[in-house]
Amino acid sequence: MRVAPCPSCGAQVEFHSAASVMAVCGYCRSTLVRRDVNLENLGKMAELAEDRSPFRLRFRGLHKTVGFELIGRLQLNYQGGYWNEWYARFDDGRLGWVSEGSGLCYLTFEQAIKTQLPPFDVYRVGQSIRLGGEPYTVSNIETAHCVAVEGELPFEATPGFPAPAVDLRSETGFASLDYSEQPPKVYIGLALTLEELVDPAAPKETERPKRAQARDFKCTNCGAPISVKLADTKAIGCSHCGAVVDPADPTLAIVSRAIEALRQPKLPLGSVGKLRGKQYAIIGYLRRATRIDGIRYDWDEYLLHSEEAGYAWLTEYNGHWNLAKAVTRQPKIMPARQTQARFLDRTYKHFQHCQAEVVQVLGEFNWRVSIGETVGVDDYVSPPYLLSSERSETELTWSLSEYLPPAEVEAAFKPQVKLPEPVGIAPNQPRPGPGSGRYWAAFAAFAVLALILQAIFAVTAASRTVWQGDLNQPEGQQQYTLSSPPIHIEGGGNLEIRQQVNVDNQWLYTDLTLVNQTTGEVHRLGREISYYSGSDSDGSWSEGSNRDEALLADIPAGDYLLEVDAETEPGKAPLQDRIAVVRGVPIWVNFWVLLACLLVPPLLAWWRSVSFETRRWAESDYASSDSGDDD
């Protein structure tokens, strides 16, 4: 670190990096530029605009395992508000930048690339470009202006100088193109959450800067009192008349006026609650609307702020709630199927596209929101998550929402009026109960078990032949008979009479009569055996079989006689009928009945799933298509 006296007030000015070119005196705010070994005073630096940045000068942070310190700050103003670029010195000697925007933090390092960059005015939001061979998507195009500087920077910066920049997102990182110089400078890095940059070992007092006191004034439109509690509020909606006021404007300019009657939010502004382990305060409320086929659909969005996690959104439509946060990576739109997106190893199906218009604003916002502001929205679903993109002429943002039960929202913010029950099915609402896939898995497991048990029974069953004989057709006779000798049958169970006949383009009909010699009980069966074959213009064909099995259930033990009366067609070769009586034949019908019973639960679950998905997708751009079942 190099220390030199301020030429204006004599206070010690510290340069923590050899690459720093300018610094601002922390006492008199003189702008000092290094000229060899001397410091040149360029005049007094403008005051920083108060904001709600989670960082401040000398903030100690941690990225992965490398610590860093913020040694300079460049505050910029753009059409929607302010943002900060923090100059960071890492413990491993690297110099980088930490910036804030869209609820995220961005860590970048300057890099030299061989790619020839186009002029600034060529870029369009959503455009695909390559940097050093890596694909990126243009996510933001802005021309900002310097407001003020704090600490030290590696270049000269004075209030008002323009800073045109293009931000890029990819599946793995973030890049920013600085067109304030020619050729443009390229900064490549990552989009991160605030938690990923905070050093848990840092002293608590260095993790949060001091906040400005609340400021009260009267609404420029209706005269009602308005209180601004957050330092970085860029727009505030009057709760009495709905006008949106710019609190940073000296005349409190009206950004936009209400275009319809005000609706009070279901969750009061200022409410504080804990959602998914984070403490949030509701600081703003806006209502959006879209028209689809001439029908207007409205939904509510609540801006949340957490000292530990930054900004988030709580959205509500028809009683369905979602917690939404900005994502750190660019989702991948599947090239083969533009109706799908891939994000964090999960596939999302495109649900709908619409133009969302802001129709009401209440409370405070960290960008200059206005009534009538319109963006294009695309929603992709993979319950319980909803992946959404919002695109304007200058910005493309992505957020990930998670479905919340109304009871969880009520428990967090404790509204005085009970929240309404959900109506219909939300795009990312989870299906109630276990998915049909679990039932199918259980069915498969039980079916395999039943099959194994049936196979074991078939192998171990005492199936045995108790009698067999031949019934031969006498020459020239169409009708003939056979009477068996006494057949002794032991044990209980079924009895099967099997026949194998040498029929060939002919038939044989047999009347089978089984008589219990002790009780006189009679069992009669009529069986036809036929087999035909030939060929025609379509080729060879055949039908029928030369085998037959007749099953008699629950035949008690005893002595039996089997009488067979046979009849066949005349003029054919004599037939030979091989007859066998078999005891204890394994029966598969019980297995198939059990299988059918096991099918009932998964089929019902599948039907409920299909019905649920049909109702879900009825509100989408694909209402007439088959959404399928993801289970």
Side-chain angles (χ1 to χ4, degrees):
M1 180 179 68
R2 182 182 174 187
V3 178
C6 171
S8 178
C9 69
Q12 297 295 305
V13 178
E14 299 176 350
F15 284 86
H16 293 258
S17 169
S20 297
V21 172
M22 69 165 289
V24 175
C25 177
Y27 293 89
C28 68
R29 296 203 50 79
S30 293
T31 304
L32 309 176
V33 178
R34 291 170 62 174
R35 308 292 190 195
D36 295 327
V37 295
N38 298 317
L39 294 180
E40 179 181 346
N41 190 346
L42 298 185
K44 197 161 187 176
M45 174 59 68
E47 292 292 332
L48 291 161
E50 184 63 41
D51 59 22
R52 201 173 179 81
S53 172
F55 305 117
R56 64 171 175 175
L57 206 62
R58 304 291 173 254
F59 173 92
R60 285 290 304 177
L62 183 71
H63 177 239
K64 295 183 178 178
T65 59
V66 182
F68 65 87
E69 181 181 17
L70 302 182
I71 60 175
R73 175 189 192 185
L74 174 65
Q75 188 177 67
L76 300 164
N77 178 271
Y78 69 110
Q79 185 177 4
Y82 297 97
W83 89 67
N84 294 294
E85 299 279 355
W86 296 90
Y87 190 37
R89 183 192 63 184
F90 283 75
D91 295 347
D92 59 5
R94 291 178 299 164
L95 297 170
W97 292 88
V98 176
S99 58
E100 316 150 35
S102 302
L104 296 173
C105 301
Y106 304 92
L107 174 62
T108 58
F109 300 91
E110 184 177 357
Q111 292 191 19
I113 62 171
K114 297 180 180 180
T115 305
Q116 183 69 32
L117 297 177
F120 177 74
D121 56 6
V122 170
Y123 292 100
R124 296 293 181 269
V125 168
Q127 175 183 348
S128 296
I129 69 168
R130 301 186 78 86
L131 288 180
E134 294 294 325
Y136 286 86
T137 300
V138 176
S139 60
N140 192 51
I141 305 172
E142 291 285 356
T143 297
H145 294 83
C146 174
V147 174
V149 174
E150 182 182 21
E152 58 194 89
L153 296 178
F155 51 80
E156 294 186 30
T158 55
F161 90 91
V166 178
D167 289 342
L168 312 170
R169 301 288 293 273
S170 75
E171 295 178 46
T172 57
F174 170 84
S176 184
L177 310 179
D178 180 6
Y179 275 80
S180 62
E181 299 183 24
Q182 290 298 328
K185 289 188 175 182
V186 178
Y187 298 88
I188 297 178
L190 300 169
L192 305 165
T193 61
L194 177 60
E195 293 97 319
E196 293 177 284
L197 291 177
V198 172
D199 184 356
K204 292 295 182 181
E205 62 271 18
T206 67
E207 294 183 10
R208 295 287 184 267
K210 291 179 63 177
R211 303 299 182 200
Q213 298 298 316
R215 182 162 62 97
D216 299 325
F217 56 87
K218 292 184 177 180
C219 173
T220 315
N221 186 58
C222 70
I226 296 178
S227 178
V228 177
K229 298 180 176 62
L230 306 183
D232 59 349
T233 297
K234 307 303 184 298
I236 185 167
C238 176
S239 60
H240 295 269
C241 68
V244 181
V245 178
D246 182 357
D249 187 86
T251 63
L252 300 176
I254 297 175
V255 177
S256 58
R257 289 183 169 85
I259 57 176
E260 59 186 29
L262 296 183
R263 300 187 189 183
Q264 291 303 313
K266 300 177 180 69
L267 299 177
L269 296 182
S271 299
V272 177
K274 196 169 188 178
L275 278 177
R276 302 299 162 99
K278 305 295 182 184
Q279 193 80 9
Y280 289 103
I282 300 177
I283 62 174
Y285 162 84
L286 60 82
R287 190 171 186 84
R288 281 181 167 179
T290 187
R291 289 189 178 274
I292 301 176
D293 297 330
I295 302 175
R296 173 169 156 169
Y297 299 88
D298 292 42
W299 66 93
D300 296 339
E301 298 186 1
Y302 298 82
L303 180 60
L304 311 180
H305 184 265
S306 167
E307 290 289 342
E308 55 183 328
Y311 291 98
W313 286 95
L314 189 62
T315 67
E316 183 268 334
Y317 171 69
N318 275 355
H320 299 277
W321 295 83
N322 279 279
L323 179 64
K325 297 180 181 180
V327 299
T328 59
R329 298 182 181 181
Q330 175 83 9
K332 180 181 180 181
I333 305 299
M334 307 298 285
R337 302 180 65 181
Q338 293 295 314
T339 58
Q340 290 187 352
R342 188 78 178 165
F343 182 67
L344 297 181
D345 299 325
R346 196 179 183 102
T347 299
Y348 294 77
K349 294 183 180 180
H350 186 259
F351 190 81
Q352 68 179 8
H353 170 81
C354 69
Q355 294 293 318
E357 177 185 1
V358 177
V359 296
Q360 182 179 333
V361 177
L362 298 177
E364 303 178 51
F365 294 86
N366 60 333
W367 84 96
R368 205 168 185 263
V369 63
S370 63
I371 295 173
E373 179 180 290
T374 302
V375 294
V377 178
D378 281 282
D379 290 330
Y380 298 80
V381 299
S382 179
Y385 300 106
L386 178 73
L387 188 64
S388 301
S389 72
E390 293 189 9
R391 179 183 295 197
S392 66
E393 291 186 359
T394 60
E395 189 174 25
L396 170 65
T397 61
W398 287 87
S399 63
L400 184 64
S401 304
E402 183 176 3
Y403 187 87
L404 298 180
E408 184 174 352
V409 179
E410 280 188 333
F413 294 103
K414 300 176 176 57
Q416 295 182 352
V417 179
K418 182 176 175 60
L419 296 178
E421 292 295 323
V423 177
I425 296 174
N428 60 324
Q429 180 179 353
R431 283 193 293 268
S436 61
R438 296 184 183 181
Y439 285 100
W440 285 113
F443 164 76
F446 281 112
V448 169
L449 178 61
L451 180 62
I452 293 173
L453 293 176
Q454 180 69 20
I456 293 174
F457 173 76
V459 171
T460 58
S463 176
R464 62 191 184 279
T465 300
V466 295
W467 178 83
Q468 63 181 8
D470 294 320
L471 173 61
N472 297 321
Q473 178 187 1
E475 187 75 30
Q477 293 187 21
Q478 286 181 252
Q479 299 179 349
Y480 50 100
T481 63
L482 169 70
S483 293
S484 73
I487 303 172
H488 181 69
I489 300 176
E490 298 178 348
N494 59 41
L495 197 71
E496 186 175 75
I497 303 175
R498 299 174 181 174
Q499 300 183 75
Q500 182 174 353
V501 190
N502 61 334
V503 289
D504 185 12
N505 287 316
Q506 63 188 115
W507 54 267
L508 172 68
Y509 181 82
T510 57
D511 274 325
L512 307 175
T513 304
L514 185 68
V515 181
N516 189 316
Q517 291 183 301
T518 303
T519 64
E521 184 179 3
V522 177
H523 302 273
R524 286 190 174 90
L525 295 169
R527 313 295 293 179
E528 181 177 339
I529 306 169
S530 62
Y531 176 78
Y532 294 90
S533 63
S535 62
D536 53 23
S537 59
D538 294 329
S540 300
W541 59 270
S542 65
E543 63 181 16
S545 173
N546 62 358
R547 295 175 180 271
D548 179 68
E549 294 88 20
L551 186 69
L552 297 171
D554 196 19
I555 300 299
D559 294 321
Y560 291 83
L561 291 177
L562 175 63
E563 297 179 355
V564 182
D565 295 319
E567 182 179 358
T568 186
E569 54 189 310
K572 299 286 186 176
L575 297 178
Q576 296 178 343
D577 186 0
R578 183 71 171 172
I579 302 174
V581 179
V582 181
R583 181 65 152 174
V585 178
I587 302 175
W588 284 86
V589 65
N590 295 334
F591 170 77
W592 296 114
V593 170
L594 175 61
L595 210 61
C597 294
L598 290 175
L599 269 172
V600 173
L603 286 175
L604 289 176
W606 172 81
W607 176 252
R608 288 197 301 266
S609 173
V610 169
S611 301
F612 191 91
E613 290 301 316
T614 300
R615 292 170 60 199
R616 180 203 307 280
W617 289 88
E619 299 293 329
S620 74
D621 292 345
Y622 311 93
S624 60
S625 65
D626 181 12
S627 64
D629 188 354
D630 293 334
D631 283 336

